[in-house]
Structure formats: structure tokens, C-alpha cells
Amino acid sequence: MIIFYRNTASPNIQKIALMLAETRLPYVAQSVDREPDGAFVNSFRAINPNATVPAILDQDNGVSVFESGAILYYLAEKSGQLLPKEIKARTEVMKWLMFEVANVGPVMGELYHGLLMDNPAFTEHHLPRYRDKLSRFCALLDEQLKRQRYLCGDYSIADIALYPWCGILEDIADIDLHDYAHLHRWTTDINMHPATQLIATTKP
Ligand SMILES: N[C@@H](CCC(=O)N[C@@H](CS)C(=O)NCC(=O)O)C(=O)O
């Protein structure tokens, strides 16, 4: 049984919820408590020394995993799903997974926190830069999806890593997905997956 540590329904958490729903691996979700100063409780550092969610503990073998990209990889290996075995196809999936964790996730995170601060320096300097980057990322994804139904051909952990950000692109980055026809078609497609529908109706 897998313990899935989470708190809110942020995109990083949604990636793992979606992966667990797609693979049907048995799990229990556990909310991580916070100390009075807002930090996650110290006991959680045994699972993730960096004290961020999502994280998992696989009770079958005692393996704990943090960082959403590493968790997706682990769950793909454990279930034998959503990550091809053949090296060329597998590398393609890993490239787009790494693209998400190194680019889209961090830029969206910084943008979100910057907007919360309502700081003029942020609005003048960082906001346009982050929005430009995200528009470039959307164009890249759109180009990739022009050729195929999913990012790397078959549905994979690369799609699962990138999909949850699309739901907040408009609110956070002022990006209209209708400007990227293939990306828009892809999000509509994944919206309809039974696993996606299931997590949309499950409370965090
Ligand atoms: N790169 C990490 C980012 C994880 C992350 O920043 N998680 C946020 C919630 S989405 C968090 O735990 N922040 C610390 C906190 O809320 O105290 C991943 O992909 O898992």
C-alpha cells in the first residue's frame, strides 16, 4: 500500500493523484500537518527532508520518494504503466518530464508567489519575463502536439506532469489556451479520461 502525502490540490499534488488514479495502484492519502509557524511537521522530514508535498511512502518495500517527477517515475516503474521500456521512447518521455520539473513547475510557482506579494518590482521586471517564458513553453508543447495525440505518442507520465498546469495558465499567466489549438485539444482530451474525471470529483 502507498501512503500519498499531500495538503492542497495544487498542480504538483494533482499530478500524483492523477497517476494513482490512472494506474489504479492502491493508496491512502494523508494530509501533512503544519507547525504553528506554517512549516510542515518535523516528523514529515523523515519522508521528505525538503519538507514539500507531494511525497509518498511505499509500505510494500519501505521506499519513500519526494519530488513529483521522481514520484511519477517510481509509480510508472512499480505499475509497469505510462513509461515505455524501449530506450528511445523512454528517453523521449523522460525529456518532457524533466522539461516540466525544471521549467514549467518552477516558473509557475514563482509567478504564483510573486502575484500574491503584489510587489511593483515584481510586476515590472519578473512578471513579463515569466509570462514570456510560459508563452514560449506553450508554443513548444503545441508544436509537439501538432504531430501526435499525446506529447510522446502514447499517453505517459510526461502528459501527467504537464497537464495540471494548463488549468491555471489563464488565471496565473494570462495565457488563453485557445491560442494554442493543439495544446487546447490535448487538455480537452485528458479532461475526458475517467481517471481525470475521478480526481476532479475527489476532495483533496
Ligand atoms: N519541485 C517540487 C515542488 C513541491 C512544492 O513546492 N510543493 C509545495 C506545495 S505544491 C510545498 O510543499 N510547499 C511548501 C509548503 O507549502 O510549506 C515537486 O515537484 O514536488
Side-chain angles (χ1 to χ4, degrees):
M1 176 72 80
I2 289 164
I3 305 183
F4 170 26
Y5 297 93
R6 61 184 190 181
N7 57 354
T8 57
S10 72
N12 285 319
I13 307 277
Q14 283 174 36
K15 293 176 204 172
I16 309 309
L18 185 52
M19 181 67 180
L20 288 165
E22 285 285 356
T23 56
R24 295 167 186 255
L25 286 168
Y27 74 96
V28 286
Q30 192 166 310
S31 269
V32 184
D33 294 329
R34 288 180 188 270
E35 303 284 9
D37 66 0
F40 286 131
V41 286
N42 263 333
S43 54
F44 179 57
R45 287 176 196 271
I47 305 294
N48 179 0
N50 194 32
T52 56
V53 284
I56 61 165
L57 171 65
D58 186 344
Q59 289 182 313
D60 296 348
N61 54 15
V63 171
S64 60
V65 193
F66 58 92
E67 284 297 321
S68 56
I71 300 170
L72 289 177
Y73 170 75
Y74 179 83
L75 296 175
E77 285 290 312
K78 184 175 173 84
S79 65
Q81 298 175 54
L82 300 165
L83 177 62
K85 293 269 178 272
E86 188 273 318
I87 187 155
K88 219 170 150 190
R90 190 177 180 88
T91 303
E92 202 55 26
V93 170
M94 293 307 285
K95 272 189 335 200
W96 288 98
L97 176 66
M98 296 298 160
F99 167 77
E100 186 280 315
V101 296
N103 295 279
V104 180
V107 172
M108 287 293 277
E110 291 307 310
L111 185 50
Y112 175 72
H113 285 288
L115 289 172
L116 285 185
M117 284 190 316
D118 195 20
N119 173 338
F122 177 83
T123 310
E124 197 176 331
H125 300 292
H126 299 285
L127 186 61
R129 188 164 163 265
Y130 290 151
R131 285 192 173 150
D132 277 1
K133 275 189 180 232
L134 287 163
S135 301
R136 186 161 55 82
F137 297 158
C138 286
L140 263 178
L141 295 171
D142 198 54
E143 190 59 32
Q144 185 73 4
L145 290 162
K146 195 197 267 183
R147 295 192 291 273
Q148 49 205 354
R149 180 172 175 190
Y150 296 113
L151 280 168
C152 306
D154 292 334
Y155 193 51
S156 73
I157 52 175
D159 299 288
I160 291 183
L162 281 151
Y163 163 80
W165 298 107
C166 293
I168 56 170
L169 267 179
E170 182 152 11
D171 282 352
I172 300 208
D174 209 15
I175 288 175
D176 184 353
L177 274 188
H178 292 93
D179 293 342
Y180 303 91
H182 307 286
L183 188 54
H184 183 259
R185 184 261 308 147
W186 171 82
T187 53
T188 312
D189 180 327
I190 301 175
N191 284 344
M192 300 313 290
H193 284 205
T196 314
Q197 301 273 320
L198 181 73
I199 66 154
T201 54
T202 311
K203 272 186 170 250

